Amino acid sequence: MKVAVFSTKNYDRTYFDRYNTTHQFTYYDNKLDARSASLVAGSEAVCAFVNDTLDRAVLEILAGHGVRIVAMRSAGFNNVDLDTAQRLGIAVVRVPAYSPHAVAEHAVALILTLNRKTHKAYNRVREANFSLERLEGFDLYQKTVGVVGTGKIGQVFIQIIRGFGCKILAFDPYPNEQLISEGIEYVSKEVLLDQSDIISLHCPLTPETHHFINEEALKLIKPGMMLINTSRGGLIDTQAVVHALKSKQLGYLGIDVYEQEADFFFRDLSDSIIDDDLLMRLLTFPNVLITSHQGFFTDEALTQIAQTTIANLTAFEEGTYIDANTLIRV
Ligand code: NAI
């Protein structure tokens, strides 16, 4: 099958070419949007990533060029207008689980780095500054960690963070019986906000979870709380978070995702003027750590992404079984 692959980086090419023996991939560096959508001419499939735009306008262009399937090489699919895809007869598949460990471990990395300031210590020591001033952290042992979303990633995160001797509070509209039997306590959003020393977000971005952390929520948190978001930027009202950081109500912020990240993340813009005052304001806080959506970025995850995407395309082409978990809409 001819597949137009958007937002391609060197590592995408490397992993797809390593495992592909069947399809004809044409790689485009461009993001998929209304301007680049015509590049699909001649392809029956599109492979897209988290910051590609698959709204009504784009999907209509794809359908006009005969695209029959969109293969997301991500777990999240909040950037796809599923109703329009269905109306146009475009199937949408994804990679539902490509190493929940990769993202959960990255969330823990953000916590440890923010807390123990190893990123600052590294730079200091390289300059022969061996002072410990302002590097003070806190024990994770016996701290309360609030986990929002106890799906695949949330569960791995809980497993790891329990190893530090933390108390876990969970919030999820669909509590997991296995976790309950292991002693994990599900609480209301309000209780989680009120009692957690650290909150880590692991739920999908939906209309219900949009700005889950907003001005109201930030009024309820423990002063000095640490907020970690490795899920989707839209879970956080960034403006409200900046206010909470300025007032010191929020003590730390670690994010791998940012609401307006599509314009910046995954690219080297070190020679550019960044036209996003909110992002630049965030970067000025000493207690904010931002990574550019690298939670998924491990060898294991990239392997799984390539293999599952290729298998999805092959199954669709052969009209055979597509794993129900990978299929979003036909
Ligand atoms: P999952 O589908 O296994 O789990 C999501 C959980 O969130 C479910 O238990 C669901 O019941 C829960 N949930 C749904 N609505 C909720 C609400 N209103 N409040 C609280 N919980 C709610 O998904 P998985 O694999 O654990 O991934 C979670 C998210 O992580 C994805 O949706 C994606 O946005 C993000 N992600 C980020 C990556 C990165 O590189 N930073 C890579 C992969 C995923």
Side-chain angles (χ1 to χ4, degrees), residues 98 103 151-153 172-174 204 209 230-232 256 293 296:
Y98 51 80
V103 185
K152 290 176 285 296
I153 296 171
D172 193 311
Y174 305 98
T209 60
T230 54
S231 262
R232 285 292 180 267
D256 187 47
H293 211 134
F296 73 100

Side-chain angles (χ1 to χ4, degrees), residues 10-20 27 297-304 306-307 310:
N10 285 331
Y11 45 83
D12 294 310
R13 290 190 182 91
T14 303
Y15 280 81
F16 273 78
D17 289 346
R18 185 179 298 165
Y19 296 105
N20 176 46
Y27 297 110
F297 201 54
T298 66
D299 173 54
E300 290 80 358
L302 289 167
T303 299
Q304 187 70 46
Q307 289 178 337
I310 292 164

